[in-house]
PDB file of all heavy atoms in Angstrom:
ATOM      1  N   LEU A 212      32.451  -4.372   6.288  1.00 93.00           N
ATOM      2  CA  LEU A 212      32.392  -2.918   6.224  1.00 93.00           C
ATOM      3  C   LEU A 212      32.948  -2.456   4.887  1.00 93.00           C
ATOM      4  O   LEU A 212      34.080  -2.783   4.531  1.00 93.00           O
ATOM      5  CB  LEU A 212      33.191  -2.284   7.372  1.00 93.00           C
ATOM      6  CG  LEU A 212      33.340  -0.756   7.319  1.00 93.00           C
ATOM      7  CD1 LEU A 212      31.964  -0.072   7.396  1.00 93.00           C
ATOM      8  CD2 LEU A 212      34.244  -0.270   8.449  1.00 93.00           C
ATOM      9  N   LEU A 213      32.138  -1.691   4.159  1.00 91.00           N
ATOM     10  CA  LEU A 213      32.565  -1.053   2.925  1.00 91.00           C
ATOM     11  C   LEU A 213      32.435   0.448   3.113  1.00 91.00           C
ATOM     12  O   LEU A 213      31.375   0.945   3.518  1.00 91.00           O
ATOM     13  CB  LEU A 213      31.707  -1.489   1.732  1.00 91.00           C
ATOM     14  CG  LEU A 213      31.999  -2.850   1.095  1.00 91.00           C
ATOM     15  CD1 LEU A 213      31.558  -3.972   2.023  1.00 91.00           C
ATOM     16  CD2 LEU A 213      31.283  -2.960  -0.243  1.00 91.00           C
ATOM     17  N   THR A 214      33.503   1.162   2.855  1.00 91.00           N
ATOM     18  CA  THR A 214      33.482   2.617   2.979  1.00 91.00           C
ATOM     19  C   THR A 214      33.930   3.243   1.672  1.00 91.00           C
ATOM     20  O   THR A 214      34.602   2.621   0.856  1.00 91.00           O
ATOM     21  CB  THR A 214      34.397   3.096   4.117  1.00 91.00           C
ATOM     22  OG1 THR A 214      35.733   2.632   3.872  1.00 91.00           O
ATOM     23  CG2 THR A 214      33.916   2.596   5.462  1.00 91.00           C
ATOM     24  N   THR A 215      33.550   4.476   1.483  1.00 87.00           N
ATOM     25  CA  THR A 215      33.958   5.207   0.299  1.00 87.00           C
ATOM     26  C   THR A 215      35.165   6.064   0.628  1.00 87.00           C
ATOM     27  O   THR A 215      35.263   6.624   1.728  1.00 87.00           O
ATOM     28  CB  THR A 215      32.824   6.094  -0.241  1.00 87.00           C
ATOM     29  OG1 THR A 215      33.273   6.773  -1.410  1.00 87.00           O
ATOM     30  CG2 THR A 215      32.360   7.115   0.780  1.00 87.00           C
ATOM     31  N   GLU A 216      36.106   6.148  -0.303  1.00 72.00           N
ATOM     32  CA  GLU A 216      37.291   6.980  -0.083  1.00 72.00           C
ATOM     33  C   GLU A 216      36.944   8.454  -0.184  1.00 72.00           C
ATOM     34  O   GLU A 216      37.524   9.296   0.491  1.00 72.00           O
ATOM     35  CB  GLU A 216      38.365   6.626  -1.125  1.00 72.00           C
ATOM     36  CG  GLU A 216      38.836   5.178  -1.045  1.00 72.00           C
ATOM     37  CD  GLU A 216      39.502   4.848   0.280  1.00 72.00           C
ATOM     38  OE1 GLU A 216      40.026   5.768   0.925  1.00 72.00           O
ATOM     39  OE2 GLU A 216      39.495   3.674   0.674  1.00 72.00           O
ATOM     40  N   GLU A 217      35.969   8.772  -1.053  1.00 63.00           N
ATOM     41  CA  GLU A 217      35.531  10.151  -1.221  1.00 63.00           C
ATOM     42  C   GLU A 217      34.087  10.249  -0.762  1.00 63.00           C
ATOM     43  O   GLU A 217      33.193   9.718  -1.416  1.00 63.00           O
ATOM     44  CB  GLU A 217      35.648  10.585  -2.687  1.00 63.00           C
ATOM     45  CG  GLU A 217      37.081  10.612  -3.197  1.00 63.00           C
ATOM     46  CD  GLU A 217      37.149  11.160  -4.608  1.00 63.00           C
ATOM     47  OE1 GLU A 217      36.132  11.701  -5.077  1.00 63.00           O
ATOM     48  OE2 GLU A 217      38.214  11.050  -5.226  1.00 63.00           O
ATOM     49  N   PRO A 218      33.848  10.919   0.360  1.00 55.00           N
ATOM     50  CA  PRO A 218      32.477  11.013   0.872  1.00 55.00           C
ATOM     51  C   PRO A 218      31.560  11.658  -0.156  1.00 55.00           C
ATOM     52  O   PRO A 218      31.984  12.512  -0.938  1.00 55.00           O
ATOM     53  CB  PRO A 218      32.627  11.919   2.113  1.00 55.00           C
ATOM     54  CG  PRO A 218      34.055  11.795   2.499  1.00 55.00           C
ATOM     55  CD  PRO A 218      34.812  11.605   1.221  1.00 55.00           C
ATOM     56  N   PRO A 219      30.282  11.233  -0.199  1.00 54.00           N
ATOM     57  CA  PRO A 219      29.339  11.853  -1.127  1.00 54.00           C
ATOM     58  C   PRO A 219      29.130  13.319  -0.799  1.00 54.00           C
ATOM     59  O   PRO A 219      29.412  13.770   0.312  1.00 54.00           O
ATOM     60  CB  PRO A 219      28.051  11.044  -0.914  1.00 54.00           C
ATOM     61  CG  PRO A 219      28.208  10.431   0.439  1.00 54.00           C
ATOM     62  CD  PRO A 219      29.677  10.201   0.620  1.00 54.00           C
ATOM     63  N   ALA A 220      28.666  14.056  -1.791  1.00 56.00           N
ATOM     64  CA  ALA A 220      28.430  15.486  -1.580  1.00 56.00           C
ATOM     65  C   ALA A 220      27.414  15.679  -0.462  1.00 56.00           C
ATOM     66  O   ALA A 220      26.467  14.902  -0.335  1.00 56.00           O
ATOM     67  CB  ALA A 220      27.910  16.125  -2.869  1.00 56.00           C
ATOM     68  N   PRO A 221      27.587  16.682   0.380  1.00 54.00           N
ATOM     69  CA  PRO A 221      26.627  16.916   1.461  1.00 54.00           C
ATOM     70  C   PRO A 221      25.257  17.241   0.913  1.00 54.00           C
ATOM     71  O   PRO A 221      25.109  17.730  -0.205  1.00 54.00           O
ATOM     72  CB  PRO A 221      27.239  18.113   2.218  1.00 54.00           C
ATOM     73  CG  PRO A 221      28.120  18.793   1.205  1.00 54.00           C
ATOM     74  CD  PRO A 221      28.648  17.702   0.338  1.00 54.00           C
ATOM     75  N   SER A 222      24.236  16.933   1.713  1.00 52.00           N
ATOM     76  CA  SER A 222      22.867  17.225   1.286  1.00 52.00           C
ATOM     77  C   SER A 222      22.657  18.733   1.232  1.00 52.00           C
ATOM     78  O   SER A 222      23.444  19.512   1.764  1.00 52.00           O
ATOM     79  CB  SER A 222      21.863  16.594   2.259  1.00 52.00           C
ATOM     80  OG  SER A 222      22.053  17.106   3.555  1.00 52.00           O
ATOM     81  N   GLN A 223      21.551  19.125   0.572  1.00 53.00           N
ATOM     82  CA  GLN A 223      21.278  20.532   0.408  1.00 53.00           C
ATOM     83  C   GLN A 223      21.151  21.219   1.765  1.00 53.00           C
ATOM     84  O   GLN A 223      20.580  20.686   2.699  1.00 53.00           O
ATOM     85  CB  GLN A 223      19.992  20.700  -0.406  1.00 53.00           C
ATOM     86  CG  GLN A 223      20.148  20.223  -1.839  1.00 53.00           C
ATOM     87  CD  GLN A 223      18.820  20.177  -2.560  1.00 53.00           C
ATOM     88  OE1 GLN A 223      18.228  19.136  -2.694  1.00 53.00           O
ATOM     89  NE2 GLN A 223      18.349  21.305  -3.039  1.00 53.00           N
ATOM     90  N   LYS A 224      21.717  22.428   1.835  1.00 56.00           N
ATOM     91  CA  LYS A 224      21.737  23.138   3.103  1.00 56.00           C
ATOM     92  C   LYS A 224      20.339  23.639   3.464  1.00 56.00           C
ATOM     93  O   LYS A 224      19.556  24.044   2.617  1.00 56.00           O
ATOM     94  CB  LYS A 224      22.703  24.323   3.014  1.00 56.00           C
ATOM     95  CG  LYS A 224      24.160  23.916   2.852  1.00 56.00           C
ATOM     96  CD  LYS A 224      25.061  25.143   2.817  1.00 56.00           C
ATOM     97  CE  LYS A 224      26.532  24.740   2.683  1.00 56.00           C
ATOM     98  NZ  LYS A 224      27.425  25.908   2.613  1.00 56.00           N
ATOM     99  N   THR A 225      20.073  23.610   4.763  1.00 57.00           N
ATOM    100  CA  THR A 225      18.809  24.129   5.246  1.00 57.00           C
ATOM    101  C   THR A 225      18.765  25.642   5.083  1.00 57.00           C
ATOM    102  O   THR A 225      19.722  26.337   5.420  1.00 57.00           O
ATOM    103  CB  THR A 225      18.632  23.768   6.740  1.00 57.00           C
ATOM    104  OG1 THR A 225      18.623  22.358   6.876  1.00 57.00           O
ATOM    105  CG2 THR A 225      17.333  24.342   7.274  1.00 57.00           C
ATOM    106  N   ARG A 226      17.660  26.145   4.533  1.00 65.00           N
ATOM    107  CA  ARG A 226      17.497  27.583   4.377  1.00 65.00           C
ATOM    108  C   ARG A 226      16.314  28.038   5.218  1.00 65.00           C
ATOM    109  O   ARG A 226      15.490  27.249   5.649  1.00 65.00           O
ATOM    110  CB  ARG A 226      17.259  27.949   2.904  1.00 65.00           C
ATOM    111  CG  ARG A 226      18.359  27.477   1.967  1.00 65.00           C
ATOM    112  CD  ARG A 226      18.223  28.169   0.625  1.00 65.00           C
ATOM    113  NE  ARG A 226      19.105  27.583  -0.368  1.00 65.00           N
ATOM    114  CZ  ARG A 226      19.258  28.063  -1.589  1.00 65.00           C
ATOM    115  NH1 ARG A 226      18.579  29.118  -1.974  1.00 65.00           N
ATOM    116  NH2 ARG A 226      20.082  27.480  -2.439  1.00 65.00           N
ATOM    117  N   ASP A 227      16.239  29.336   5.417  1.00 72.00           N
ATOM    118  CA  ASP A 227      15.175  29.907   6.230  1.00 72.00           C
ATOM    119  C   ASP A 227      14.350  30.901   5.415  1.00 72.00           C
ATOM    120  O   ASP A 227      13.986  31.968   5.892  1.00 72.00           O
ATOM    121  CB  ASP A 227      15.760  30.598   7.463  1.00 72.00           C
ATOM    122  CG  ASP A 227      16.442  29.627   8.395  1.00 72.00           C
ATOM    123  OD1 ASP A 227      15.883  28.543   8.615  1.00 72.00           O
ATOM    124  OD2 ASP A 227      17.525  29.949   8.891  1.00 72.00           O
ATOM    125  N   THR A 228      14.058  30.551   4.179  1.00 90.00           N
ATOM    126  CA  THR A 228      13.290  31.437   3.306  1.00 90.00           C
ATOM    127  C   THR A 228      11.869  31.602   3.822  1.00 90.00           C
ATOM    128  O   THR A 228      11.223  30.638   4.229  1.00 90.00           O
ATOM    129  CB  THR A 228      13.262  30.873   1.877  1.00 90.00           C
ATOM    130  OG1 THR A 228      14.594  30.805   1.387  1.00 90.00           O
ATOM    131  CG2 THR A 228      12.429  31.758   0.957  1.00 90.00           C
TER     132      THR A 228
END
Side-chain angles (χ1 to χ4, degrees):
L212 173 62
L213 281 71
T214 58
T215 181
E216 299 297 335
E217 295 185 11
S222 60
Q223 293 170 260
K224 294 182 179 179
T225 299
R226 303 194 190 185
D227 295 318
T228 299

